Structure formats: structure tokens, C-alpha cells
Amino acid sequence: MKIQKRRSNFTPKEKVNILHEKLVNGISINKLCDEHNIQPSQFYHWQKQLFTNGTNAFRNSTDNQTRTLEQENIRLRAKIVEKDEVIAEVIQEYVKLKKDT
């Protein structure tokens, strides 16, 4: 009987890949645990972490999109203010010319 050394640390990417094998590819938990030398309880713990914290993956993209839209909004508002100032100057010159004639 071959005794394998238990691996204690997996990177987050490795954990996601292992979970992906089960959740997307449908590989049995027993087979995954044997291949990666982990206990089924460890697999379930990672799965629980994924589902508990998984919303953060979507939140970040939404936050980035919101931030981008807010920056675009600020830029467009500044452009409108600049145009309003130009229009005000033109109207002021027009009124002055009108009074002079």
C-alpha cells in the first residue's frame, strides 16, 4: 500500500479548478478527492466557500461597470457646462452688439 503525502495548500485557482471538475464536468467527488489527495470534507468546505463568497465575483464587475458609467456621466456633465458657458458668452456678445446698433 502506497502512502501519499497529503498536500496542505492549494492556490485559489487550483481550488476553483477542482470544484469546476465536479460542478461542470460531473466528475465524482470520490474520484476528485483521490486524484488530488484531499478529503471529501475539504471539497465540501471549498464548495461552501465558493457559494458563500461567489457573489463577490459578480459584484466586482458590476462595481467596475457602475464606476465607468459614473465617470462617463461626470465627463459628459462637464462637457455640457463648458458648452453652456460658450453659449452664454455668445448670447452676451449678441446682446451687446444688438444694443450698440
Side-chain angles (χ1 to χ4, degrees):
M1 181 167 137
K2 182 179 175 184
I3 299 176
Q4 294 179 342
K5 183 179 177 185
R6 183 174 177 186
R7 182 171 173 186
S8 58
N9 293 323
F10 286 87
T11 65
K13 186 175 182 175
E14 290 171 324
K15 292 176 185 179
V16 169
N17 286 337
I18 293 169
L19 292 167
H20 182 271
E21 289 181 54
K22 167 61 179 148
L23 299 172
V24 176
N25 298 337
I27 297 174
S28 75
I29 293 172
N30 289 334
K31 183 176 179 183
L32 281 174
C33 292
D34 288 344
E35 285 179 14
H36 299 285
N37 199 27
I38 59 173
Q39 295 295 316
S41 60
Q42 184 66 61
F43 174 88
Y44 289 116
H45 177 73
W46 292 346
Q47 181 176 300
K48 181 179 178 184
Q49 284 181 308
L50 175 67
F51 288 123
T52 301
N53 301 315
T55 55
N56 291 334
F58 298 106
R59 186 173 294 131
N60 290 338
S61 64
T62 302
D63 289 347
N64 288 339
Q65 184 179 15
T66 300
R67 194 174 310 116
T68 301
L69 291 173
E70 287 172 352
Q71 289 171 345
E72 179 71 6
N73 189 356
I74 290 168
R75 187 185 68 76
L76 291 173
R77 286 179 183 271
K79 196 172 184 178
I80 289 171
V81 167
E82 185 180 329
K83 286 181 181 182
D84 286 347
E85 290 172 355
V86 170
I87 291 171
E89 286 178 25
V90 170
I91 290 174
Q92 195 174 30
E93 287 180 33
Y94 175 77
V95 168
K96 184 179 177 186
L97 287 172
K98 193 94 163 154
K99 285 183 181 179
D100 290 343
T101 57

